[in-house]
Every structure is written in structure tokens, then in C-alpha cells.
Amino acid sequence: MRYEELADFPCSITRPLVVLGDRWTLLVLKTAFNGVRRFNAFQAALGIPRGRLQDRLDRLVEHEILVKQKTADGVYEEYRLTPKGHDLYPVLIAFRDWGDRYMAPDGPPVHFMHRDCSGEAHVTLACDECGEHVTARDIAPVPGPGMTAEVAAPGPRAGSARGA
């Protein structure tokens, strides 16, 4: 499957990867969650080439993850997270949890503490019916209403060499 076709593939993991699936986009989002809003501040914080940063910001605006707007004084433009953007926070925290567990030999570089108590924020996977914590071993994927017959059918599609 070609990269351009991935956005139409009926998979709720594949589709977001078309928008978010590179390191710079996730780092731009991480920086936005840290309160950065202006282009030059993103550029200074990340050291990303200006053209690449503009491309990532434009893509996040196009997909309504960020909104570009004038500051209250009308002098500058800034990028702010939308509700859709805020919904990505657990994704970043899941990355952080994994990184702390497997890629932080000296311990977590940063703790993400709950402001109202002494607890630390983590992402957990739970069943929406019973509330029990689950892992990949507890999950059974079942086709949903967005699954097309072509994709659900086993084996390669006619005229393609599709692998796993």
C-alpha cells in the first residue's frame, strides 16, 4: 500500500499515523502542551528547520489539532491546542510511560504530577464495561461498522502484493 492511500485505510491506528507519525509532529505537540504557542518559540525550543516546522504546524492546523489565531493585542499569531488536540495528551503520556520504562536507565527525566495531590499521571487501559485493567493479551479485535468488506476479507487483494 502506498503512503498516500493510508489515510483512507479503515484503521483507527493507521489513519492518525498519516497525520502524527513522524517525530517532529509529536515533538511539536509535546512543546505545545508545555505552553509554547508562537512559531519562533517552537523553532527555538526544538531546533527544527523553519520549513519543516511550518509544514508540521500547517498539518496540525489542517487537521484541527491546533488553531492559528492572533494574540489578544493582534501583534502576533499563535498556535493553540483545540479540544481535538487536547485529546492527544494521553497518547503523549503513553509514549512517556513506555520511554520511562524502557529507555530511561537513570530513571524518569521528568515526573508529570497531578496538581491536586501527590500522584503521578499515567495512562492505563481499561474495559469500558467492567472497568478492569486490560493488556493486549486480553483484547479480541472484532470488525466494527467502519470496516469495509474488501479489507475484512482474508488474503491479498486482486492485483496487489499485500503483506502483513
Side-chain angles (χ1 to χ4, degrees):
M1 179 175 297
R2 304 177 96 177
Y3 184 78
E4 329 49 268
E5 297 170 337
L6 291 175
D8 297 325
F9 190 71
C11 174
S12 295
I13 294 172
T14 304
R15 287 176 177 164
L17 284 174
V18 172
V19 177
L20 305 169
D22 70 86
R23 67 177 178 231
W24 288 118
T25 302
L26 292 176
L27 291 172
V28 167
L29 284 171
K30 178 189 95 138
T31 306
F33 276 109
N34 287 337
V36 172
R37 295 186 179 140
R38 294 186 183 160
F39 184 93
N40 287 337
F42 278 108
Q43 206 278 323
L46 296 170
I48 181 175
R50 295 180 72 80
R52 184 164 292 142
L53 175 59
Q54 190 64 64
D55 175 68
R56 297 321 186 265
L57 290 168
D58 289 347
R59 184 182 324 145
L60 291 169
V61 168
E62 174 188 347
H63 288 276
E64 300 174 344
I65 295 166
L66 294 176
V67 62
K68 185 177 180 179
Q69 61 188 32
K70 291 275 189 193
T71 56
D73 60 12
V75 176
Y76 299 99
E77 289 185 324
E78 61 183 15
Y79 296 88
R80 296 176 82 65
L81 289 156
T82 65
K84 186 176 179 180
H86 278 280
D87 282 349
L88 285 167
Y89 196 65
V91 175
L92 293 178
I93 294 299
F95 267 106
R96 188 281 322 250
D97 284 347
W98 188 89
D100 283 353
R101 185 171 186 170
Y102 296 106
M103 302 186 85
D106 299 325
V110 177
H111 292 283
F112 289 73
M113 307 307 292
H114 182 205
R115 286 189 175 134
D116 293 342
C117 73
S118 61
E120 186 165 5
H122 294 281
V123 174
T124 58
L125 191 60
C127 174
D128 70 351
E129 184 70 26
C130 69
E132 186 175 322
H133 291 278
V134 295
T135 70
R137 291 182 178 92
D138 303 313
I139 305 299
V142 177
M147 178 61 72
T148 62
E150 176 183 323
V151 175
R157 288 183 271 163
S160 73
R162 198 172 91 173

